[in-house]
Amino acid sequence: MVDSCLVAKLGRYAALSEHDKQLLVALERDEREYKKDEVVTQSGHRINELYVLKSGWLTSYSLLDDGRRQLLRLFYPGDIVDLAEIALVRARHDVKCLTPAVLCPFPKSGLEPLFAQSPRLTALLFSMTVRENSTLLDRIRAVGRFSAYERVCYLLLEIGYRLNAIDDAKEDGGFRLPLTQSDIADLLGLTNVYVSKTMSRIEQDGLIRRDGNRVRILDHARMVELCDFNGEPLIDTSWFPVL
Amino acid sequence: MVDSCLVAKLGRYAALSEHDKQLLVALERDEREYKKDEVVTQSGHRINELYVLKSGWLTSYSLLDDGRRQLLRLFYPGDIVDLAEIALVRARHDVKCLTPAVLCPFPKSGLEPLFAQSPRLTALLFSMTVRENSTLLDRIRAVGRFSAYERVCYLLLEIGYRLNAIDDAKEDGGFRLPLTQSDIADLLGLTNVYVSKTMSRIEQDGLIRRDGNRVRILDHARMVELCDFNGEPLIDTSWFPVL
DNA sequence: CGAATGCTTGAAGCTTATCAAAGCTGGTGG
DNA sequence: CCACCAGCTTTGATAAGCTTCAAGCATTCG
């Protein structure tokens, strides 16, 4: 029970009552393992289930007829996949595993008791959605107005922060990137070739060091400066309904 | 009371009880007029108030030190500005008026009775946030993977649909665009010069006709095809708490 | 009527894409 | 444990799409 991903993640933002915790734990009753590259959800299908991501990384993406691909989101442990699609009749994107993963499926209706019984959890889920929204806006800015160099720095910082936050795979400032350069390119609106050239340049400039698919950020301050990075937005819990 | 923007907009998605309507109307008690280009909210400031947009268009945007600008969202009548920032301590973007506008300010805490008393309205607000989220993902895809030609078509369709939805300023398929070409460029990650050239090309190809800042879409089917446009995502209300 | 703002058009340049080939790496089977 | 293979990364050459700069034109507004 204590090892609930949701309780762990949401608890960091606001205190939860026992009842709240039980509501969350109920969402992680089932469990299913997925292999790397396995598809979780397909565009166009009806959404009947949501998933709590217990371990591993997922991504949602959109494919065009001619093969162009845009990665839209990265999901980390503790995230609800696709909470942000719950309100829609049909999925608009594909979701697949970047690494082997464990997901806890639950029916869409599983959220209803939560909305009905806990205004506080509701506010929290709402806030998480909003925070994600803010992250998307940051990426629009990056893709729309940043150079390739800035974009890659930005992504590395974003992922670094996120991993810090869930202190997974962290170790003296370095982390493992389970993304290929093609993935990075498709996240940032670039090509794999240019991502390669750009990362080499960033490394030569002494901002990062790479070893295999581990990345260490060497000059955090300069990178933050370079892409006007603000860190994760702070959640305001002051307006939340009381426990 | 019947002329509540929120009731009008939200009522299109789900039936509202009288009580729900009253909760919404309460948010539009005050009213303030803004001039074109007037700033509503500034990046970095604490967010104490939200606004119901009663008339006019707003945009939120982000500025970089060197003058680069990225427009992030467009707000139309009936939208809550910035609902999606309520969860954050500080605003991360500026918001200003694209046209003269009327806003109804209300304190952040004004949403509390709504969350506490109406699970149904809560679900609806949540869904609207999610839908907006989906729109943002579409724009990431457009900015990341579309050519300038596709991007402009995409934006025109999106705005056209949105205006249809609120049937404002509509007239035999044409609508007034209160955006300069620089605005369009900053929405789509282009330059004003190239937007001009691209729009001319789109017009020459017979997809649109322009007259001043009115735009008429001539070949809707081809434009939809061209940028894989899906229309507005459908909201699923089936999981909503009952009235 | 003049000033300001926005739109258009052309020329030149730069960032990034595309194409192609070779090097590397990690996983698999013998 | 080694050899192989598939997928990823690197590197170089070339090309395309978009930007930048600049000047002239159109429209709106005081």
Side-chain angles (χ1 to χ4, degrees), chain A residues 24-91:
Chain A
L24 291 176
V25 167
L27 300 179
E28 295 178 50
R29 200 163 292 149
D30 293 336
E31 203 170 294
R32 200 192 133 187
E33 298 198 3
Y34 286 75
K35 290 193 281 273
K36 183 170 184 304
D37 289 326
E38 193 171 348
V39 171
V40 176
T41 279
Q42 274 187 296
S43 171
H45 288 201
R46 290 191 74 87
I47 303 168
N48 298 315
E49 285 189 322
L50 305 178
Y51 305 85
V52 177
L53 175 50
K54 203 149 196 177
S55 70
W57 289 34
L58 308 192
T59 184
S60 73
Y61 57 96
S62 171
L63 290 173
L64 297 178
D65 293 339
D66 59 4
R68 283 180 286 181
R69 186 179 73 142
Q70 176 70 45
L71 294 198
L72 298 166
R73 276 185 268 221
L74 298 178
F75 295 102
Y76 308 83
D79 288 347
I80 296 181
V81 183
D82 250 315
L83 179 58
E85 308 256 3
I86 184 190
L88 307 183
V89 173
R90 293 185 180 285

Side-chain angles (χ1 to χ4, degrees), chain B residues 22-82:
Chain B
Q22 278 166 27
L23 286 168
L24 292 176
V25 167
L27 301 179
E28 295 178 49
R29 202 163 289 148
D30 293 336
E31 203 170 291
R32 199 192 133 186
E33 297 199 3
Y34 286 76
K35 290 194 279 275
K36 183 169 183 303
D37 289 325
E38 192 171 348
V39 171
V40 176
T41 277
Q42 274 186 298
S43 171
H45 288 201
R46 290 190 75 87
I47 303 168
N48 298 314
E49 284 189 324
L50 305 179
Y51 305 84
V52 177
L53 174 52
K54 203 151 195 175
S55 70
W57 288 34
L58 308 192
T59 183
S60 72
Y61 56 95
S62 171
L63 290 173
L64 298 178
D65 293 339
D66 59 4
R68 283 180 286 181
R69 185 178 73 143
Q70 176 70 45
L71 293 198
L72 297 166
R73 277 186 267 222
L74 299 177
F75 296 102
Y76 309 83
D79 288 347
I80 296 181
V81 184
D82 255 313

Side-chain angles (χ1 to χ4, degrees), chain B residues 78-98:
Chain B
D79 288 347
I80 296 181
V81 184
D82 255 313
L83 179 57
E85 307 255 5
I86 184 191
L88 307 182
V89 172
R90 294 183 180 285
R92 316 192 92 209
H93 313 118
D94 299 309
V95 175
K96 74 168 192 184
C97 301
L98 290 168

Side-chain angles (χ1 to χ4, degrees), chain A residues 62-64 68-73 83-89 92-93 108 112 115-116 119 122-123 125-127 129-134 136-141 143-147 150 185-186 189-191 228 230-236 239-241, chain B residues 62-64 68-73 83-89 92-93 108 112 115-116 119 122-123 125-127 129-134 136-141 143-147 150 185-186 189-191 228 230-236 239-241:
Chain A
S62 171
L63 290 173
L64 297 178
R68 283 180 286 181
R69 186 179 73 142
Q70 176 70 45
L71 294 198
L72 298 166
R73 276 185 268 221
L83 179 58
E85 308 256 3
I86 184 190
L88 307 183
V89 173
R92 317 193 92 208
H93 312 119
K108 222 163 164 173
E112 205 195 299
F115 279 89
T122 303
L125 281 187
F126 185 74
S127 298
T129 305
V130 163
R131 200 175 59 100
E132 183 183 311
N133 211 305
S134 188
L136 295 179
L137 291 171
D138 282 346
R139 205 151 82 252
I140 288 179
R141 183 178 73 150
V143 176
R145 286 291 174 235
F146 283 3
S147 70
E150 292 164 331
D186 288 343
L190 298 166
T191 60
D228 193 28
N230 291 306
E232 302 212 303
L234 290 175
I235 296 266
D236 180 10
W239 60 279
F240 279 23
Chain B
S62 171
L63 290 173
L64 298 178
R68 283 180 286 181
R69 185 178 73 143
Q70 176 70 45
L71 293 198
L72 297 166
R73 277 186 267 222
L83 179 57
E85 307 255 5
I86 184 191
L88 307 182
V89 172
R92 316 192 92 209
H93 313 118
K108 221 164 166 174
E112 207 196 299
F115 279 89
T122 303
L125 280 187
F126 185 73
S127 298
T129 305
V130 163
R131 200 175 58 99
E132 182 182 313
N133 211 303
S134 189
L136 295 179
L137 291 171
D138 282 346
R139 203 148 87 251
I140 288 178
R141 183 178 72 150
V143 175
R145 285 294 175 232
F146 284 2
S147 69
E150 293 164 330
D186 288 343
L190 298 166
T191 59
D228 192 28
N230 291 306
E232 302 212 301
L234 290 175
I235 296 267
D236 180 10
W239 60 280
F240 280 23

Side-chain angles (χ1 to χ4, degrees), chain B residues 71-213:
Chain B
L71 293 198
L72 297 166
R73 277 186 267 222
L74 299 177
F75 296 102
Y76 309 83
D79 288 347
I80 296 181
V81 184
D82 255 313
L83 179 57
E85 307 255 5
I86 184 191
L88 307 182
V89 172
R90 294 183 180 285
R92 316 192 92 209
H93 313 118
D94 299 309
V95 175
K96 74 168 192 184
C97 301
L98 290 168
T99 68
V102 177
L103 301 187
C104 303
F106 64 89
K108 221 164 166 174
S109 58
L111 286 180
E112 207 196 299
L114 203 143
F115 279 89
Q117 294 169 35
S118 174
R120 196 174 167 79
L121 269 186
T122 303
L124 194 47
L125 280 187
F126 185 73
S127 298
M128 299 313 292
T129 305
V130 163
R131 200 175 58 99
E132 182 182 313
N133 211 303
S134 189
T135 306
L136 295 179
L137 291 171
D138 282 346
R139 203 148 87 251
I140 288 178
R141 183 178 72 150
V143 175
R145 285 294 175 232
F146 284 2
S147 69
Y149 196 97
E150 293 164 330
R151 280 183 236 184
V152 173
C153 287
Y154 161 76
L155 182 65
L156 293 176
L157 284 176
E158 187 187 303
I159 292 175
Y161 267 68
R162 192 73 182 246
L163 291 181
N164 251 345
I166 60 167
D167 62 30
D168 164 30
K170 197 204 160 191
E171 170 187 295
D172 65 303
F175 54 88
R176 208 177 74 82
L177 248 195
L179 300 171
T180 67
Q181 292 186 351
S182 292
D183 291 335
I184 295 176
D186 288 343
L187 267 168
L188 298 177
L190 298 166
T191 59
N192 57 349
V193 173
Y194 207 63
V195 166
S196 171
K197 290 174 182 172
T198 302
M199 289 189 83
S200 300
R201 218 149 42 93
I202 295 175
E203 188 168 26
Q204 273 171 25
D205 292 348
L207 296 179
I208 62 172
R209 164 135 358 118
R210 287 181 295 169
D211 180 27
N213 53 14

